Amino acid sequence: MPYIALQLVGMQVVIKGLGVSGEMPLIVAFVVLALYTYSSGLRAPAMIAFVKDIMIYIVVIAAVWLIPAKLGGYGHVFDAADAHFKAKGGATGIILKPSQFTAFASLALGSALAAFMYPHTMTAVLSSASAKTVRKNAIFLPAYTLLLGLIALLGYMAIAADVNVKSASDVVPALFGTLFPAWFVGFAAAAIAISALVPAAIMSIGAANLFTRNLWRPLVSPTITPEKEASTAKLVSLVVKFGALLFIVFLPTQYAIDLQLLGGVWILQIFPAIVFTLYTRRLNTQGLFVGWLIGIVTGTGLAISQGLKPVYALHFGDSVYPLYIGLIALVVNIVVSFAVSVLSPRRVVVTA
């Protein structure tokens, strides 16, 4: 739900940037997302994803090419950002400080490991036409990583353009509104909205399928038909989206961000059960469960101790190494999983 809530916030910001005020942008975003997934299911995000990719690449390439030219070049952009961060003080800056290297590297590694554990990722993988399709998509994944880096540059450009907004979420729409003509601002808004719509749709569908397949069918309706299961999943998908809406209405946006970060720590703890068991039989059910439980408790405890921040500083002698909490918990999880699996008796299956 926090993940979907953040996508709704993105859509809300875009709609608000088009001049719609009050709570109407959030209502519009929710209705569009609900109808989008309820009417077409997984086909909708699958069909529109290709269009979304083209649009967002056009927007980002145009932005990183034209905006610096209007601001005096990348040299001026980086100088302005550097001066801004120096005036701000603290651990900020246009490049990482040495003390931040391990935190950044472990966050990148942990996020990469967690990416394919999320329901929406697995839903997309399992619904693909073939293994060849998955391999083709995997080839282009680095291009999306590059795209994220280019998008991050928009923050520096906003500083150089002296964009002042009340909320950090409004920075990019305000930047585009300042430097681009109205037609391109509308195109960019559509690209951003669709980019939020697709992952939110797949996430809600994935969550609904998990519920109907693993809870509703075995515990409530074992004889449910595929058609009824699909209709139940649609209703659950609406409930998930409505829950995300409640996050935005009744809780600060920062809560959704914090819970999303905590969700990354949690989802990473199923990595041994999903990945390791594909390559080894040394891990048994007891070991995996205990390892998962210890990993969840460790990750949650460390995150709470840091105020729901994703990094924890490990001290080795006089040295301090900030590391991603999810990765720390995963290491504990793996060690416990193997230890318990070795110590616990194996179940012997006797066949007649």
Side-chain angles (χ1 to χ4, degrees):
M1 287 184 185
Y3 182 96
I4 300 172
L6 292 177
Q7 309 306 317
L8 284 173
V9 169
M11 295 171 64
Q12 177 191 18
V13 169
V14 168
I15 297 170
K16 187 185 296 182
L18 297 176
V20 183
S21 59
E23 297 299 327
M24 188 56 66
L26 182 58
I27 296 173
V28 172
F30 173 76
V31 171
V32 169
L33 178 60
L35 294 177
Y36 180 70
T37 51
Y38 191 86
S39 61
S40 302
L42 195 59
R43 294 184 187 89
M47 292 178 65
I48 206 170
F50 184 70
V51 177
K52 177 262 296 182
D53 291 343
I54 294 175
M55 291 179 67
I56 202 67
Y57 262 103
I58 291 174
V59 170
V60 173
I61 291 173
V64 299
W65 178 29
L66 296 175
I67 293 179
K70 293 184 177 183
L71 297 176
Y74 270 104
H76 175 69
V77 169
F78 287 121
D79 287 342
D82 188 45
H84 172 82
F85 288 125
K86 285 181 179 178
K88 187 177 181 180
T92 58
I94 60 173
I95 60 173
L96 293 174
K97 292 178 171 55
S99 61
Q100 298 171 321
F101 289 171
T102 55
F104 182 84
S106 59
L107 272 166
L109 176 60
S111 299
L113 295 178
F116 286 95
M117 301 299 105
Y118 279 102
H120 64 305
T121 307
M122 295 306 298
T123 298
V125 170
L126 295 176
S127 62
S128 59
S130 64
K132 187 176 181 180
T133 302
V134 177
R135 294 190 189 99
K136 285 182 178 179
N137 279 271
I139 292 172
F140 293 101
L141 281 178
Y144 288 90
T145 304
L146 174 63
L147 186 69
L148 291 174
L150 296 177
I151 292 174
L153 290 176
L154 297 178
Y156 292 171
M157 297 175 194
I159 293 173
D162 197 26
V163 172
N164 295 305
V165 291
K166 294 181 180 179
S167 171
S169 300
D170 298 325
V171 168
V172 173
L175 176 66
F176 279 40
T178 302
L179 298 176
F180 284 115
W183 68 267
F184 189 80
V185 173
F187 181 84
I192 295 171
I194 294 174
S195 296
L197 190 64
V198 170
I202 298 179
M203 174 62 86
S204 64
I205 293 170
N209 287 337
L210 281 174
F211 176 82
T212 53
R213 293 285 177 88
N214 297 286
L215 294 176
W216 186 263
R217 185 168 66 177
L219 300 178
V220 179
S221 183
T223 59
I224 190 172
T225 63
E227 293 77 13
K228 184 64 176 177
E229 184 178 334
S231 62
T232 303
K234 284 185 176 183
L235 293 175
V236 174
S237 177
L238 288 177
V239 172
V240 171
K241 286 187 277 286
F242 186 72
L245 179 66
L246 295 181
F247 259 97
I248 303 172
V249 173
F250 294 106
L251 296 173
T253 304
Q254 186 61 42
Y255 280 24
I257 296 173
D258 291 339
L259 286 172
Q260 168 63 13
L261 292 172
L262 193 57
V265 174
W266 290 339
I267 202 70
L268 188 55
Q269 303 316 308
I270 67 172
F271 187 88
I274 299 296
V275 177
F276 285 9
T277 52
L278 295 175
Y279 301 98
T280 180
R281 294 187 177 184
R282 295 181 180 179
L283 294 169
N284 58 29
T285 304
Q286 299 96 312
L288 289 169
F289 176 75
V290 175
W292 168 84
L293 183 61
I294 297 298
I296 290 288
V297 172
T298 301
T300 304
L302 291 177
I304 292 175
S305 71
Q306 300 302 302
L308 293 182
K309 297 299 184 289
V311 175
Y312 184 84
L314 292 180
H315 296 262
F316 295 98
D318 296 331
S319 301
V320 179
Y321 299 96
L323 294 172
Y324 176 43
I325 288 173
L327 211 56
I328 297 173
L330 178 62
V331 171
V332 175
N333 179 348
I334 293 171
V335 171
V336 172
S337 294
F338 275 99
V340 174
S341 295
V342 170
L343 296 175
S344 60
R346 288 186 172 274
R347 185 174 60 181
V348 179
V349 179
V350 179
T351 57

